[in-house]
Amino acid sequence: MLDFLQRWSDGERWQTSFVTIILIGTCIPCVPSFVEDVIYPKCVIYVLCVSIALFIMLCSRQELRFSSSFPVNTILILLIVGALCNIERKITVATLFANIILFIVLCNVKLKNNYVCQGVIVIAITILTLCLMQWIGYLRLYTSWAVTASFDNPSGVSVFLSLCFPFLLDEFERSEKVYLLLCLTLIVFAIVMLHARGGLVAIFVSLVFFLHFRKNISKFEWTIIFASFIVMFIGLCWLKSDSTQGRLFIYFIASKLLMSAPLCGLGNWGYELNAMAVQTNFFIENPNSLYGKFASDMMHPLSDVLYFVVDYGGLGLGMLLMITYQLLRNFDRKHFVYYNCILAFVVHSFISYPLRYPSTWFFVILCLSQIFGTKKRCTKLSYNIRWFLGVLCVCCLYIVTRDCEFERKWYLLFQDRQMHLNAYIDMEKMWNGNPMFFYDYARVLRSNGQYVRSNEMLGKYQKYLKDYSSYMMMADNFYSMGNYDEAMKSYIYCSHMCPARFLPLRGMLRSYQRMGEIEKSKIIANKILKKNIKVQSIEVELIRYEATKCLKK
């Protein structure tokens, strides 16, 4: 067995298999056996694949070397700090430690560009095929979007395809095969059809970077390229004008959070705990703002860079800038494709959330390890370090196993309509760090009439996430307990938080009716009937009908 592993790892063809297997594991699986059934399984398989890669390397008796350069140490520090800051969230810790292991493993392997590109091409074609099948209606994933391939929303497809784009460009330049040109064209077409502005900007920047260093382009051709991009980008912004304005408002809220703690940031979960409070205060001060109809329950600023800087401030930004400086300083044309991929990732990080997906982590670790980790000046890792990596790998597998066990039990409870409270009590003792469990627990307690305990669970949930949904459930619990004063405070707060929503107004209407405040209830009923409808639904029609009945009394 060991001899086989030695021969297999000494060859070069394994590189294509390795890239293909990890990308399959981080892009394709959707397992309807967990509460979060799209991203979570991909994270689990990512940790498993990295563990197998380390096992093969250790068993092959290959020497492990490591570059202790400044950029490498900075990357490792960022990953370790990230794991420690998310110590309660088990799957996040396992994923970040898997990144450390993968980074060290890949620092010991000089990957050949053509073999890596072949692996990327296989999965890119697979994802494009899934998109095509969903477009024609042959395949449908259980999401609210028509085309998502095997991701949770179109942004996931856009991120993955834009990171594949530089590798396909590199392989097309080398081989000039027609099918690669077709794939590149389909990637651009898919991103435009998905209305993915971030993906469009990322592939445009990647293409410009490629043409600048690899091709001699005339001024006329540059003009055509830039004009085409501007037309497509403006067209997408016009088609999604509401989304564009909503995104600008989210950036505005994030900038206010950033200014409140510019040096050290707000700390872990800083954005989730403070964003909705800032949004609420904004609408209290500006009740007639046009942004009211775009405001929603947003727990991410739609920019990984903004999210990171809000949480960790100028200190965190400084570490990112140090890595950026080292990337520019060590620029090498033989690693051109990896630089191009990193560039696409950076562009996406400013206007999207690519780090949500484990496939992005793989691309980033792959590129950084090949740029920084394969330098000549490397030190041999001792057997103690090898054993430590093995133990760390076993710990990751143990954490993932326990986490899967928790998620599976939670899924079965989530699907069980009888809602066994005793089972939830036992589950709370083995909580895996996912705050959504407390929200679900509060929902079950509310359904069983235990409103006080439901609010206690919402209090635990709000230690991590303070959102519209939790405040609304808290208000409904106060209403059900007959505590109408507290219910009114929460309903009013929710109404300012998301001004376009009808549910807080319905809660205020019913509370005033129960309190005997007939005139005030009629004022709220008039507000409901005059309110513009953002999304037509049966629930909204029922609320408007209830308001009409109130006015007729």
Side-chain angles (χ1 to χ4, degrees), residues 14 43 111 234 318 432 453 477 527:
W14 67 271
C43 293
L111 298 173
I234 292 175
N432 71 340
R453 284 198 64 204
N477 285 335
K527 280 187 179 180

Side-chain angles (χ1 to χ4, degrees), residues 274-518:
N274 297 281
M276 298 309 289
V278 173
Q279 179 170 303
T280 304
N281 291 333
F282 174 82
F283 287 120
I284 290 173
E285 296 170 1
N286 304 276
N288 299 318
S289 172
L290 294 175
Y291 286 122
K293 64 179 180 179
F294 306 120
S296 62
D297 201 4
M298 185 57 66
M299 289 290 99
H300 194 284
L302 302 181
S303 167
D304 276 339
V305 173
L306 260 180
Y307 181 82
F308 185 83
V309 175
V310 166
D311 281 6
Y312 304 109
L315 296 177
L317 179 62
M319 295 191 75
L320 294 180
L321 291 176
M322 282 190 286
I323 295 175
T324 304
Y325 170 72
Q326 292 296 326
L327 280 167
L328 296 173
R329 183 185 175 191
N330 291 277
F331 181 72
D332 189 344
R333 285 178 181 259
K334 69 179 181 180
H335 293 138
F336 179 83
V337 65
Y338 300 117
Y339 277 97
N340 204 358
C341 183
I342 288 290
L343 181 61
F345 161 72
V346 169
V347 171
H348 240 303
S349 296
F350 275 97
I351 46 184
S352 189
Y353 39 91
L355 289 177
R356 173 176 169 78
Y357 305 101
S359 55
T360 304
W361 281 107
F362 172 69
F363 274 117
V364 173
I365 295 298
L366 170 70
C367 296
L368 292 177
S369 66
Q370 296 306 295
I371 292 169
F372 293 129
T374 55
K375 302 295 180 184
K376 291 182 179 179
R377 281 187 276 181
C378 296
T379 55
K380 181 181 176 182
L381 293 180
S382 65
Y383 281 102
N384 290 335
I385 299 296
R386 292 167 67 98
W387 274 106
F388 173 76
L389 289 175
V391 170
L392 182 62
C393 185
V394 171
C395 290
C396 287
L397 290 174
Y398 174 75
I399 290 170
V400 166
T401 302
R402 292 298 303 273
D403 201 70
C404 285
E405 181 185 355
F406 178 91
E407 290 285 332
R408 176 61 181 164
K409 287 181 179 178
W410 181 20
Y411 172 78
L412 294 174
L413 286 176
F414 189 78
Q415 297 295 318
D416 189 353
R417 295 179 179 236
Q418 295 182 12
M419 301 180 182
H420 302 291
L421 284 177
N422 290 334
Y424 272 91
I425 293 171
D426 294 336
M427 289 284 290
E428 187 184 0
K429 296 174 183 176
M430 54 181 290
W431 181 56
N432 71 340
N434 187 349
M436 289 306 299
F437 172 77
F438 292 125
Y439 182 85
D440 186 46
Y441 192 2
R443 176 186 62 83
V444 173
L445 287 167
R446 172 170 170 74
S447 299
N448 282 271
Q450 297 191 28
Y451 306 115
V452 175
R453 284 198 64 204
S454 177
N455 277 352
E456 288 176 2
M457 287 301 115
L458 288 172
K460 291 185 177 182
Y461 172 78
Q462 289 184 345
K463 290 179 180 178
Y464 304 93
L465 298 163
K466 290 186 177 180
D467 58 3
Y468 167 87
S469 301
S470 61
Y471 278 107
M472 271 302 298
M473 189 187 294
M474 198 172 280
D476 290 340
N477 285 335
F478 283 128
Y479 177 86
S480 298
M481 287 188 287
N483 190 345
Y484 302 119
D485 289 333
E486 288 298 323
M488 279 298 301
K489 289 179 184 177
S490 295
Y491 284 132
I492 291 171
Y493 190 77
C494 291
S495 181
H496 289 303
M497 189 180 289
C498 297
R501 304 285 175 91
F502 279 82
L503 285 176
L505 293 176
R506 184 184 68 180
M508 293 163 66
L509 174 67
R510 290 178 176 179
S511 296
Y512 278 133
Q513 287 177 331
R514 289 293 181 93
M515 295 164 70
E517 301 278 0
I518 305 301

Side-chain angles (χ1 to χ4, degrees), residues 200 204 207-208 219-235:
L200 183 63
F204 171 73
L207 179 62
V208 169
K219 288 184 179 180
F220 175 75
E221 290 172 322
W222 278 120
T223 304
I224 296 295
I225 292 170
F226 274 90
S228 301
F229 164 73
I230 291 170
V231 168
M232 287 190 289
F233 185 75
I234 292 175

